[in-house]
Amino acid sequence: ILNVEQSPQSLHVQEGDSTNFTCSFPSSNFYALHWYRWETAKSPEALFVMTLNGDEKKKGRISATLNTKEGYSYLYIKGSQPEDSATYLCASLNAGGTSYGKLTFGQGTILTVHP
Amino acid sequence: NAGVTQTPKFRVLKTGQSMTLLCAQDMNHEYMYWYRQDPGMGLRLIHYSVGEGTTAKGEVPDGYNVSRLKKQNFLLGLESAAPSQTSVYFCASSPLNEQFFGPGTRLTVL
């Protein structure tokens, strides 16, 4: 995998549903995997930063897992609420050579939670 | 703390004009980034800096130049604006974990 890829591109769920998205990233020169929440007309805000293979992080109803060997991360939302509607971005931070410090974003998953 | 600020918030340019966008952060972060956001394209990295006096190219550097003369400021310059540079520009700073984003600059090039 050369780029950071997210799936699905968009998702519509009903209030109360649980959902998850996928982020795939290059496993070479990996330093960290970031997840951001981006509401319309606002700036992205960090949800999680994960570095270790097998990391699991949780914030309220949102959690994330990381597999650095195979290059993927999952973001889970339990019991979705309308206020969870946003674009969820993942980004891979590179630690190798001339690209040290470079953060590459995926295109995002747009989540819409219907009341 | 103001966090990350961007100046200006909005700007309209004519093709061929030049301008500089200023990003300032008061968190003493080493790393600073400039992104552009276009519909369906997510955030694309233009240039970034890993410390005062350093800059590096991102994914879409053509048509832009940057400078990091002071640790707290990261300037993005457009020497000869083109309509393809119409976009929303976000600056971010980081201590190399999470990134803190500015409010964005909406630039239109006619």
Side-chain angles (χ1 to χ4, degrees):
Chain A
I1 297 173
L2 297 177
N3 296 316
V4 179
E5 298 170 357
Q6 292 186 246
S7 63
Q9 284 190 342
S10 64
L11 197 54
H12 292 257
V13 301
Q14 291 297 126
E15 182 174 356
D17 286 350
S18 293
T19 187
N20 65 84
F21 333 129
T22 303
C23 174
S24 301
F25 56 89
S27 51
S28 61
N29 295 319
F30 172 82
Y31 183 85
L33 193 283
H34 296 205
W35 280 101
Y36 292 85
R37 182 170 181 271
W38 193 4
E39 292 181 76
T40 303
K42 293 187 178 180
S43 302
E45 291 184 347
L47 287 172
F48 305 113
V49 177
M50 296 184 288
T51 56
L52 298 176
N53 186 44
D55 253 356
E56 291 188 28
K57 297 220 171 178
K58 187 175 181 182
K59 186 181 291 187
R61 294 178 291 99
I62 304 177
S63 60
T65 61
L66 179 66
N67 182 321
T68 60
K69 293 182 180 178
E70 296 180 41
Y72 65 84
S73 175
Y74 295 130
L75 186 79
Y76 301 91
I77 302 179
K78 185 177 179 182
S80 302
Q81 300 296 309
E83 57 266 30
D84 294 330
S85 298
T87 298
Y88 291 83
L89 296 169
C90 74
S92 175
L93 183 63
N94 191 290
T98 56
S99 295
Y100 184 84
K102 180 180 176 182
L103 192 68
T104 303
F105 280 85
Q107 292 189 346
T109 292
I110 302 170
L111 174 67
T112 305
V113 182
H114 299 279
Chain B
N1 288 348
V4 181
T5 58
Q6 292 183 230
T7 309
K9 289 187 170 55
F10 304 94
R11 185 72 186 269
V12 178
L13 290 178
K14 293 182 180 178
T15 297
Q17 286 185 317
S18 63
M19 77 163 294
T20 300
L21 281 66
L22 170 64
C23 176
Q25 53 99 1
D26 60 3
M27 295 174 281
N28 202 35
H29 288 164
E30 289 292 335
Y31 299 82
M32 296 188 76
Y33 302 79
W34 274 107
Y35 299 93
R36 59 178 289 174
Q37 181 223 346
D38 302 293
M41 307 288 284
L43 282 173
R44 292 186 293 169
L45 181 64
I46 304 171
H47 287 281
Y48 64 107
S49 169
V50 301
E52 181 179 318
T54 74
T55 62
K57 293 181 180 180
E59 303 165 66
V60 289
D62 294 341
Y64 305 95
N65 57 75
V66 287
S67 65
R68 182 101 181 267
L69 298 178
K70 293 183 179 181
K71 187 176 185 178
Q72 63 268 33
N73 296 335
F74 195 29
L75 279 64
L76 178 71
L78 286 72
E79 289 186 346
S80 180
S84 60
Q85 294 177 304
T86 294
S87 187
V88 180
Y89 292 84
F90 284 96
C91 172
S93 74
S94 171
L96 200 59
N97 42 39
E98 70 179 277
Q99 295 209 337
F100 296 82
F101 285 84
T105 295
R106 184 173 294 276
L107 175 66
T108 301
V109 183
L110 302 175

